Amino acid sequence: MDLTKMTIAICVLICFKIAAAVNLTGKGTVPNLREIIIGRCIEYQNGLVVQNDNMNLEELGSKNCTRIWEHFRDSFAYRHPCDVSMEDYDEFLEASKTTIPKNMATYWDGWDIYTIVTNYANKGQRSVTLETTLPGYLGNGISFCGSPENDGLGYEKCAAEGDCGFGKGALEAFWSKLSTYFGSEGEGNVKVFFNSNREHGSFQEYNSFFYHFEVLYLNSTRVNHMDIFVVTELNQTRGDTCESPSLIRLGELLDERHITHSCHEQPEAVMHVLCADEPDHADCQFKVRSGGTSALWFSSSQQTTYLYCCIYFLTLFTYWRLTHFP
């Protein structure tokens, strides 16, 4: 072995030793990964996942599910779980990405809003999240990583969030890459959801997939406007408002990218979703408009305040009438 080959071999050995020293805390690769990916792909192609009339069925039909699986596997197989970057998923994304329907892209930031935004999206009927795109659906909710042994997949331990560093490793690099696609391909009027009680502020830049891989990839020639939804769960006190520093900062970033925006606290459409599970909650009293649609009415505490105000002004008016028109 000449000196050059020996040097390369030593470098590879050192790099692998360093990678192997990372403490992996995540679950191992899910069994039957190939069958899951191909099965999910076929399921998606046949319209069994997303119920949206705007989906391009011809585009979906052209996808080769077996080829998508092969690109997915090759992105991380036979590698240490942390030795995977965003670029390794280029071919997988190119093979699996689909057109995001106009005015349907919905972003979110922070796990404490995930359930709400998922319920709101309603499997793509109201809006499309990254997890309801074809590439996002394929990897959602499962663990996967590589190993230099056996069939190239690591079944004992994979990297959990943060084990390899932000945005790195088989799992985080996967979502990083897909987030850049979702950020750059959004079109028309888009939305983003935040939990008002998120620790350290609703919108965050540090270790935020939304900031690093979606906001910074938004294309002002495609995105016309972003609606910012600040949501407080029922039975919780409101936290951030549209005037909070973190959301003002988001507005500044959107201004820099020449994207108009508006902020909404407890938007009515989201309240309907929240109240579906607790229709008798004090904040879920709705009235019917003249046109037959419903609108959120005052909560019981707001009704009491409103009643007191009415009595107060009625008393003032009565006093004024008696003193000026005896």
Side-chain angles (χ1 to χ4, degrees):
M1 181 183 295
D2 59 35
L3 184 59
T4 301
K5 292 182 178 180
M6 182 178 296
T7 302
I8 293 174
I10 292 174
C11 288
V12 170
L13 181 61
I14 292 174
C15 289
F16 184 80
K17 289 291 185 181
I18 293 173
V22 175
N23 183 28
L24 302 177
T25 61
K27 295 180 179 179
T29 299
V30 63
N32 305 310
L33 182 61
R34 179 183 184 278
E35 288 73 18
I36 290 173
I37 298 299
I38 294 178
R40 284 186 174 188
C41 180
I42 295 172
E43 185 183 29
Y44 198 100
Q45 277 186 318
N46 284 278
L48 302 177
V49 179
V50 175
Q51 310 295 322
N52 189 316
D53 293 337
N54 296 317
M55 299 299 290
N56 188 329
L57 298 180
E58 183 178 350
E59 181 183 40
L60 281 175
S62 68
K63 299 299 179 182
N64 185 321
C65 292
T66 301
R67 184 67 57 81
I68 288 174
W69 152 250
E70 291 170 350
H71 287 310
F72 177 72
R73 177 201 60 203
D74 292 346
S75 300
F76 56 84
Y78 296 102
R79 303 185 188 184
H80 186 274
C82 288
D83 186 26
V84 182
S85 66
M86 287 172 47
E87 293 72 25
D88 292 319
Y89 287 100
D90 285 350
E91 292 185 357
F92 161 75
L93 181 58
E94 189 61 33
S96 62
K97 71 177 183 178
T98 56
T99 303
I100 300 169
K102 188 175 182 179
N103 301 325
M104 296 290 286
T106 297
Y107 306 91
W108 57 276
D109 197 20
W111 286 109
D112 48 9
I113 196 66
Y114 179 71
T115 300
I116 293 174
V117 73
T118 300
N119 291 340
Y120 174 83
N122 194 25
K123 296 182 178 179
Q125 293 189 52
R126 290 193 191 93
S127 62
V128 175
T129 62
L130 175 56
E131 296 76 22
T132 52
T133 64
L134 174 57
Y137 178 68
L138 295 179
N140 193 33
I142 60 175
S143 58
F144 51 86
C145 66
S147 168
E149 301 174 353
N150 302 320
D151 61 354
L153 302 180
Y155 295 101
E156 294 185 6
K157 288 285 185 180
C158 289
E161 184 176 351
D163 284 353
C164 305
F166 176 67
K168 300 177 181 178
L171 193 60
E172 287 202 36
F174 173 84
W175 289 111
S176 300
K177 185 63 181 181
L178 268 59
S179 293
T180 63
Y181 143 72
F182 198 59
S184 61
E185 296 290 326
E187 184 178 6
N189 296 334
V190 301
K191 301 178 182 67
V192 62
F193 279 64
F194 296 102
N195 189 318
S196 75
N197 287 298
R198 187 183 185 190
E199 190 176 3
H200 306 307
S202 295
F203 169 65
Q204 299 174 18
E205 297 178 49
Y206 179 73
N207 282 3
S208 164
F209 279 73
F210 172 63
Y211 168 67
H212 286 281
F213 307 118
E214 291 174 338
V215 170
L216 297 183
Y217 284 82
L218 290 174
N219 186 341
S220 61
T221 64
R222 296 176 60 88
V223 176
N224 302 325
H225 183 84
M226 174 174 279
D227 284 307
I228 303 168
F229 285 179
V230 187
V231 182
T232 303
E233 295 185 63
L234 300 179
N235 302 313
Q236 289 192 6
T237 303
R238 290 196 183 189
D240 277 358
T241 68
C242 292
E243 302 303 317
S244 295
S246 73
L247 293 171
I248 291 176
R249 170 59 178 158
L250 174 57
E252 293 171 348
L253 289 168
L254 294 174
D255 289 339
E256 292 173 5
R257 307 192 74 78
H258 307 292
I259 296 173
T260 63
H261 51 89
S262 55
C263 186
H264 313 270
E265 299 167 19
Q266 295 297 78
E268 185 178 314
V270 180
M271 286 301 296
H272 279 281
V273 175
L274 293 176
C275 292
D277 291 331
E278 296 188 55
D280 296 327
H281 193 278
D283 292 335
C284 296
Q285 306 309 306
F286 294 85
K287 69 175 182 178
V288 178
R289 295 193 184 104
S290 58
T293 58
S294 64
L296 187 62
W297 185 235
F298 299 111
S299 66
S300 57
S301 60
Q302 291 172 322
Q303 291 177 35
T304 303
T305 303
Y306 178 74
L307 180 61
Y308 285 149
C309 288
C310 288
I311 294 172
Y312 175 73
F313 284 110
L314 181 60
T315 303
L316 288 179
F317 177 73
T318 304
Y319 175 77
W320 179 81
R321 286 293 302 270
L322 291 176
T323 55
H324 289 77
F325 302 97

